[in-house]
Amino acid sequence: MQSKLFNFVTHTLIIVMWVVLIIGFFFVIPQFSFLQHERVINVLSWGGIFDPKTLDDYYAKTGVKVRLNYYTTNEELLVNLKATRGKGYDLVIPSDYAVKILCNERLLKKFDKQRLSFVKNINPLLLAHHFDPENDYSLPYMWEVFGLGYDKTFFKDRAAVTWDLVFKQPQNFTITMMNDPIEIITLVSYYLYGPDVIAAGNLTSKQIARIKELLIAQRSWVEAYTDFRPDYYLLSKNCPLVVTCLSSILRGMEQSESLDFVIPGNKVMLSIENVAIPVTCTDDTLVYDFLNFVYQKAIMKDHFVTYYSLPATVDVLQEITLIDEVKRLVSLPKEAFEKKVMFFTPLMPESAMHNLWVDIKSR
């Protein structure tokens, strides 16, 4: 009898235990589900901005996952943020002129610089430009200079590598051009009309017609419009000349001594890639922590070694190898630097630019 009672009690206790476990699984544990929620920073960025190894290291240190969403042009970024009003993103990486557009659309949140440990290390040459004079809404992360990558076995005389080789006929070789209409139109405007038209910020209908005529004529010797691995066209001998940014050629120069880079003319075309926080980001605590992490000296240096994009912080410059033209550029006083550089800028209405670009690409 006692044995039966013992078995009954034992079975009853087992059943009760399972019932408690089941109830706990369905009702108690969900109450603490916030402990299991993955902490995530959603970033809208160019490719090659953040090294996956850096993101893995950050996750290992903090448990915060950085989820990257990519775009290929500033126009794609602008369309995305205008459509969503920035919802769904905690951090974006716009180029200089895109910053100004996003500020005008009131899509960016003002930085609290007291929460950023690296601001004092940012190169002052890259601060206080027209697109964000006080750097209230954007801070430079990396920057590029644009010019011509070329094959030294094809062009023996470096001094002969000028914009004329890009825009004048006849040509006995093909070239690659960038794939961003704002950048191309800015370059052609500079070539045809000089820096004053860039400073003015707009083109006349007559100037637009002339630009279109030149680009249509040029189409016959353009092998490709691309921002992806233009150094490949040099290394493969498909093209002896490419219009691109310095980082693309530095990558190629690691593989072949026949590659070189030149910045033609008296002006330097510059692009600054910036970090910015969308106004819809309600909790930016993780974003500030992440920014303080990636702006560390060692990480900025590793970024240059991996991607060759120029770092925005001055404490790294002494530890990386720069080409002579960039060395001279970063040694300039602020006033002289501002006179030397130009930025890409929209010089015509968006609809007109789109129609022009479609017309040229369809040739």
Side-chain angles (χ1 to χ4, degrees):
M1 184 73 180
Q2 289 180 343
S3 176
K4 290 182 179 180
L5 179 62
F6 176 79
N7 289 337
F8 174 78
V9 171
T10 301
H11 291 159
T12 301
L13 288 174
I14 291 173
I15 293 172
V16 170
M17 181 184 70
W18 277 107
V19 169
V20 170
L21 288 174
I22 292 171
I23 293 173
F25 180 81
F26 285 105
F27 295 99
V28 177
I29 291 178
Q31 302 304 314
F32 298 94
S33 62
F34 69 91
L35 296 174
Q36 303 176 17
H37 284 176
E38 189 175 42
R39 294 187 297 164
V40 176
I41 302 172
N42 290 296
V43 181
L44 186 58
S45 170
W46 298 95
I49 292 291
F50 297 115
D51 188 346
K53 180 181 180 301
T54 297
L55 304 187
D56 290 342
D57 290 345
Y58 183 69
Y59 179 76
K61 178 183 177 182
T62 66
V64 177
K65 183 177 181 60
V66 180
R67 184 179 295 137
L68 296 179
N69 303 272
Y70 295 110
Y71 59 88
T72 57
T73 66
N74 277 293
E75 286 61 51
E76 187 179 337
L77 163 70
L78 293 171
V79 169
N80 190 320
L81 289 188
K82 286 180 181 180
T84 63
R85 306 304 296 175
K87 290 182 179 178
Y89 301 112
D90 305 301
L91 183 69
V92 295
I93 318 295
S95 300
D96 31 65
Y97 69 84
V99 169
K100 185 173 183 179
I101 295 173
L102 293 174
C103 285
N104 291 340
E105 295 280 339
R106 298 183 178 180
L107 291 174
L108 299 181
K109 177 184 288 191
K110 193 171 183 178
F111 274 115
D112 179 359
K113 295 176 187 176
Q114 298 299 317
R115 299 165 66 186
L116 298 171
S117 61
F118 57 83
V119 174
K120 62 182 182 298
N121 289 325
I122 295 180
N123 192 332
L125 296 176
L126 305 177
L127 296 171
H129 289 287
H130 71 281
F131 54 89
D132 189 4
E134 303 297 327
N135 286 100
D136 287 330
Y137 301 95
S138 65
L139 291 168
Y141 179 66
M142 49 162 278
W143 57 292
E144 294 276 11
V145 294
F146 286 76
L148 302 176
Y150 69 98
D151 185 343
K152 292 190 289 187
T153 64
F154 191 93
F155 298 103
K156 307 294 185 182
D157 182 9
R158 177 184 173 89
V161 182
T162 69
W163 291 119
D164 283 345
L165 295 178
V166 175
F167 296 120
K168 275 191 176 179
Q169 283 187 297
Q171 307 291 351
N172 60 347
F173 55 87
T174 58
I175 68 172
T176 74
M177 290 286 286
M178 298 172 296
N179 195 36
D180 188 310
I182 290 180
E183 293 176 353
I184 288 180
I185 291 170
T186 303
L187 279 178
V188 179
S189 300
Y190 167 62
Y191 176 74
L192 291 177
Y193 307 114
D196 289 346
V197 73
I198 312 299
N202 59 74
L203 297 164
T204 66
S205 56
K206 186 176 180 179
Q207 288 171 332
I208 292 173
R210 188 181 175 194
I211 289 169
K212 180 177 180 179
E213 181 182 1
L214 184 151
L215 289 174
I216 289 174
Q218 183 206 46
R219 184 71 181 89
S220 63
W221 67 83
V222 174
E223 179 77 15
Y225 296 95
T226 181
D227 295 311
F228 180 72
R229 292 303 304 269
D231 55 312
Y232 163 79
Y233 289 86
L234 296 175
L235 294 168
S236 63
K237 304 294 183 180
N238 285 334
C239 299
L241 185 71
V242 298
V243 182
T244 188
C245 57
L246 173 61
S247 63
S248 298
I249 305 306
L250 289 179
R251 184 192 306 116
M253 289 167 69
E254 289 287 324
Q255 303 177 57
S256 173
E257 294 182 354
S258 68
L259 271 59
D260 204 353
F261 183 83
V262 64
I263 304 173
N266 298 320
K267 291 280 190 176
V268 179
M269 191 62 70
L270 201 70
S271 176
I272 301 176
E273 307 307 325
N274 305 270
V275 295
I277 301 176
V279 71
T280 49
C281 176
T282 55
D283 184 3
D284 53 23
T285 303
L286 295 182
V287 177
Y288 278 92
D289 183 69
F290 175 65
L291 291 177
N292 284 322
F293 180 81
V294 296
Y295 272 86
Q296 292 179 86
K297 181 179 179 180
I299 293 177
M300 296 292 277
K301 182 179 178 180
D302 286 345
H303 185 277
F304 175 79
V305 171
T306 303
Y307 294 111
Y308 302 100
S309 301
L310 299 168
T313 49
V314 292
D315 55 358
V316 186
L317 289 180
Q318 293 77 19
E319 299 188 13
I320 62 177
T321 302
L322 302 174
I323 65 171
D324 290 341
E325 288 163 305
V326 174
K327 286 182 182 177
R328 290 192 292 269
L329 187 63
V330 297
S331 66
L332 292 174
K334 174 74 169 175
E335 185 177 354
F337 179 86
E338 291 179 346
K339 291 180 179 178
K340 183 72 174 177
V341 303
M342 296 185 303
F343 293 95
F344 296 111
T345 186
L347 296 172
M348 53 195 298
E350 185 175 347
S351 59
M353 180 182 65
H354 174 76
N355 293 336
L356 182 149
W357 191 233
V358 169
D359 195 7
I360 292 166
K361 294 287 288 287
S362 64
R363 300 283 171 165

